[in-house]
Amino acid sequence: MDTKLNKYAKLLIKKGLNVQKGQPVVIVAPVDCAPFVRLCASAAYDLGCREVVVRWVDDFLTRERYLRGDEPIFDEVPEWFSHFHNDYSEAGAAWLRIESSDPEALKGVDPERLKRSSIASGKALKPYRLRQMSNSFPWCIASVPTLAWAEKVFPDLKGEAAMNALWDAIFSAVRVTEDGDPIKLWDEHCKKLKERKTRLSHYQFKELHFINSLGTDLVVGLPENHFWEGGSEITQAGLEFCANIPTEEVFSAPKRDAVNGVVVASKPLVLGGNIIDGFKFELKDGKIVKVFAEKGQEFLESELSVDEGASYLGEVALVPYDSPISNTGILFYNTLFDENASCHFAFGEAYPCVKNGANMSKEELKAAGLNDSITHIDFMVGTADLSITGKTHEGKEVPVFVNGNFAF
Ligand code: ZN
Ligand code: ZN
């Protein structure tokens, strides 16, 4: 176990963040994960980082704050909090975020409070988010088990047994084994994703048509000069990093006003400490005009209304149904894992996946067809019978997905 933990910490620091000599490192993590965070910090110092700054978070305290804090705090963001994000990102710090929350940590919290907080922090942290979306600093999201989360994923197991089962599932998803070299495996994996994204970018599809038996029938327009991303990415300073560990997706940005039809979610979504399930959207000229959810509709509607761009799509991502995380059959109740087991979209902010996008202003990105919002929420749509057909500007149709998997 110790060997695997050390290998995992090194993988995140070296392959995930690619920490450089003299670079500040920020780690945001649940306090329950302190032993693992210490391993990550040591791995960063081994690479000669400037210092490691940790911001601890805690599900219990977050929940208490939302339930019992004074009313005005949900519209305010303290200056130290804005400075923390905006200043460290401006300094080019490497950011590691450990996401391991109890999927229902905020069950019972007033959705209005969540919405107001999300609007306030969206505005205050805009410079940070902009730098993150355009890769001006390296960042990585990863997870380690926490008890409440593990027992949700494995409802038949309790305590340590649930924790061990989730550790096994995570180690296998991130390619960490007792005797293998995860960094080498990740290099090979990223190479494969690179071939896929290069191929898709080369087609320059005008639109993709998604159809499956769940009821998804959606045409997704793509902007001119778009490209596909995935696997490792490159910072503006030219350094390779992996924004998600694990990752199985290649993704791009939909054309803001060119998405039409119905899309049905194929997995539940954990949205800010609440579970949304059995939901679908109807889109017209890019905008989500109808929302239906069997569970959690109020939280979904609340997030879709944080600003105008929240009800438009900002990401289209392709993941084969027959791929490592999907094949475990485990529902993780954690977007990092569930999105990498399934084709997905995000509503909200688009990554600047158009030629020269990283250097464009908000207005230029909008003119290029990309959506702008303070939110970005992935939701899963992939199934075993999903078909995706690409249509080129010349009207040629190309099968991209057949029966849930890449056709090429
Ligand atoms: Zn994605
Ligand atoms: Zn996303």
Side-chain angles (χ1 to χ4, degrees), residues 249 315 339 344-346 351 376-378:
E249 65 177 291
E315 178 183 338
E339 72 169 328
H344 56 274
F345 296 108
Y351 289 96
H376 174 102
I377 306 289
D378 291 54

Side-chain angles (χ1 to χ4, degrees), residues 60-70 73-74 76 78 113 117:
F60 177 83
L61 295 178
T62 307
R63 180 181 171 79
E64 280 287 271
R65 182 177 177 272
Y66 275 115
L67 289 174
R68 305 172 68 178
D70 269 349
I73 62 168
F74 305 108
E76 293 163 4
R113 288 192 166 183
S117 274

Side-chain angles (χ1 to χ4, degrees), residues 65-333:
R65 182 177 177 272
Y66 275 115
L67 289 174
R68 305 172 68 178
D70 269 349
E71 210 49 52
I73 62 168
F74 305 108
D75 300 309
E76 293 163 4
V77 173
E79 248 182 64
W80 70 262
F81 191 78
S82 310
H83 273 297
F84 181 82
H85 287 82
N86 298 335
D87 296 358
Y88 275 117
S89 65
E90 195 179 8
W95 285 70
L96 176 63
R97 227 168 69 213
I98 305 286
E99 295 216 339
S100 304
S101 278
D102 172 358
E104 295 193 288
L106 299 184
K107 198 177 175 180
V109 165
D110 176 7
E112 253 325 283
R113 288 192 166 183
L114 295 172
K115 178 180 169 181
R116 284 160 55 203
S117 274
S118 153
I119 292 174
S121 68
K123 282 183 191 154
L125 308 188
K126 192 98 196 175
Y128 158 79
R129 275 189 68 90
L130 212 63
R131 288 187 198 110
Q132 182 185 19
M133 300 292 270
S134 59
N135 295 340
S136 89
F137 60 90
W139 53 282
C140 178
I141 302 175
S143 295
V144 299
T146 51
L147 188 58
W149 176 31
E151 289 184 347
K152 179 83 195 170
V153 180
F154 299 101
D156 300 333
L157 302 175
K158 287 274 159 278
E160 219 182 302
M163 289 287 281
N164 287 338
L166 188 51
W167 266 121
D168 285 347
I170 291 177
F171 281 141
S172 125
V174 300
R175 298 170 161 78
V176 168
T177 54
E178 204 68 49
D179 33 64
D181 175 357
I183 293 183
K184 199 170 145 232
L185 292 174
W186 269 84
D187 286 340
E188 288 162 10
H189 176 51
C190 289
K191 215 175 125 198
K192 269 189 211 141
L193 289 172
K194 194 174 174 183
E195 285 165 17
R196 231 173 235 167
K197 63 188 187 187
T198 307
R199 187 154 189 175
L200 280 164
S201 301
H202 185 74
Y203 275 117
Q204 278 302 304
F205 287 122
K206 178 172 179 266
E207 59 191 36
L208 297 174
H209 190 175
F210 288 69
I211 297 186
N212 69 12
S213 60
L214 266 188
T216 291
D217 185 349
L218 190 75
V219 174
V220 180
L222 297 168
E224 272 177 47
N225 296 317
H226 67 271
F227 56 80
W228 290 79
E229 264 295 358
S232 60
E233 297 176 51
I234 308 287
T235 62
Q236 288 182 21
L239 294 165
E240 197 181 358
F241 73 103
C242 282
N244 287 180
I245 291 186
T247 185
E248 299 291 333
E249 65 177 291
V250 289
F251 65 92
S252 189
K255 191 171 176 211
R256 187 180 196 270
D257 59 358
V259 185
N260 284 287
V262 172
V263 59
V264 183
S266 58
K267 287 176 193 279
L269 163 68
V270 175
L271 178 60
N274 286 283
I275 294 177
I276 322 281
D277 204 3
F279 63 101
K280 58 180 173 185
F281 300 132
E282 190 182 317
L283 291 100
K284 191 166 184 330
D285 299 330
K287 190 174 166 65
I288 296 172
V289 288
K290 263 191 210 151
V291 183
F292 172 81
E294 280 165 22
K295 185 180 173 190
Q297 175 140 355
E298 67 277 29
F299 295 99
L300 191 54
E301 282 179 344
S302 169
E303 193 64 29
L304 285 165
S305 62
V306 294
D307 60 12
E308 212 225 321
S311 55
Y312 289 80
L313 299 190
E315 178 183 338
V316 46
L318 307 183
V319 180
Y321 190 77
D322 180 14
S323 58
I325 304 175
S326 172
N327 286 340
T328 65
I330 298 170
L331 178 61
F332 282 86
Y333 291 102

